[in-house]
Amino acid sequence: MTAPPRAQTRLHVAADLAAGVAVGLDEAQAHLLRSVLRLAPGDHVALFNGRDGEWLARLDAIGKGRASAVPVLRTRPQASEPDLWLVFAPIKRARLDFLAEKATELGASALWPVFTRHTAVERVNVERLAANAREAAEQTGRLSVPEVFAVAGLDQALAGWQPGRRILLGDESGAAEPVADVLAATEHAGPWAVLTGPEGGFARAELDRLRELPFVSPASLGPRVLRADTAALAALSVLQALRGDWREGRPRHPPPA
């Protein structure tokens, strides 16, 4: 039996994926394929859209600013992924890029920047955040890209919060129990969100309000002071290890490189 062709890269697309139905690629993707990877019609890529699994697709047209590919074989069915949000106070751009990339690798299903009292950053480029998440999803073998929510204030986010989604709060005050103990003692089988503050930490009034909410689980992230991006990624990692899909191990059939 002949092995299927090797995909040269993975691309996320918005279109539906089905055998024989050509998919148009955007200008940035066409540039990547033509000018960076030097691919040509007949070469193969992997496509995914978060709904239809992953498909091996053959490039049938590629030019300056335009490209299309035809799915020929579904190599992975769509699988369920963690329903895990990262809600975070915005940080400086370079660290925000890093945070979006690594949170995507760790399996976050949504990224939500929220302004707190001590947030030093005044503006968030949501489009850039989404682009970083998409690129990380393409590189890490995920079958979906995290949704990026519009920036909101902390009070606004909490006012519309659905209590069925529990919050793991990175509590830097020194009064919270260790995160592993908190998760072991919390009987919640539904979706989670991680909430972390800015470099200066949450204001005392914000922490007091958060601790009073019945769907919030304050937790200590250890004895050392963590930078904001480190705290977010540490909390995601622990949650994935104890409650998420890290318990499932590595996929038996990794996607094409």
Side-chain angles (χ1 to χ4, degrees):
M1 183 177 178
T2 304
R6 178 181 174 85
Q8 301 300 306
T9 191
R10 298 178 79 240
L11 298 174
H12 176 264
V13 296
D16 294 336
L17 296 172
V21 181
V23 175
L25 306 177
D26 64 32
E27 184 175 351
Q29 291 169 332
H31 173 76
L32 171 69
L33 298 176
R34 179 175 182 265
S35 302
V36 180
L37 299 178
R38 305 293 184 181
L39 301 187
D43 288 330
H44 289 78
V45 297
L47 303 179
F48 68 105
N49 61 8
R51 304 182 303 277
D52 301 317
E54 181 173 280
W55 286 76
L56 183 70
R58 182 185 67 255
L59 291 174
D60 69 339
I62 185 167
K64 187 175 181 180
R66 60 180 180 81
S68 62
V70 178
V72 296
L73 175 69
R74 190 168 76 163
T75 55
R76 297 168 64 194
Q78 191 66 35
S80 62
E81 296 183 343
D83 186 359
L84 173 57
W85 294 2
L86 174 61
V87 185
F88 60 95
I91 50 181
K92 293 180 180 179
R93 190 173 78 172
R95 289 189 172 273
L96 186 59
D97 291 346
F98 177 81
L99 179 60
E101 175 185 303
K102 299 309 175 186
T104 301
E105 292 181 17
L106 290 170
S109 60
L111 306 177
W112 194 359
V114 296
F115 284 107
T116 67
R117 188 169 301 178
H118 293 162
T119 299
V121 173
E122 297 181 354
R123 180 179 177 275
V124 177
N125 187 332
V126 176
E127 291 76 17
R128 182 185 177 94
L129 194 63
N132 281 317
R134 184 170 100 162
E135 183 176 345
E138 290 172 341
Q139 294 176 354
T140 201
R142 284 185 58 157
L143 291 174
S144 66
V145 175
E147 185 175 1
V148 177
F149 298 152
V151 181
L154 179 61
D155 289 342
Q156 179 185 359
L158 293 174
W161 197 268
Q162 297 297 318
R165 181 180 300 276
R166 192 155 194 87
I167 294 176
L168 179 66
L169 169 66
D171 186 340
E172 70 272 22
S173 69
E177 296 296 317
V179 60
D181 293 346
V182 170
L183 289 174
T186 304
E187 297 181 0
H188 177 69
W192 282 84
V194 164
L195 173 58
T196 54
E199 293 291 358
F202 289 107
R204 179 60 181 270
E206 291 171 332
L207 274 178
D208 288 345
R209 182 190 176 193
L210 285 163
R211 291 193 195 103
E212 293 174 353
L213 296 172
F215 50 85
V216 172
S217 294
S220 168
L221 299 178
R224 289 166 291 279
V225 177
L226 303 180
R227 298 199 68 144
D229 51 337
T230 307
L233 298 176
L236 282 174
S237 298
V238 175
L239 192 48
Q240 282 284 57
L242 298 181
R243 292 294 185 91
D245 65 0
W246 282 19
R247 298 174 298 169
E248 300 173 7
R250 189 174 178 83
R252 292 184 180 179
H253 303 288

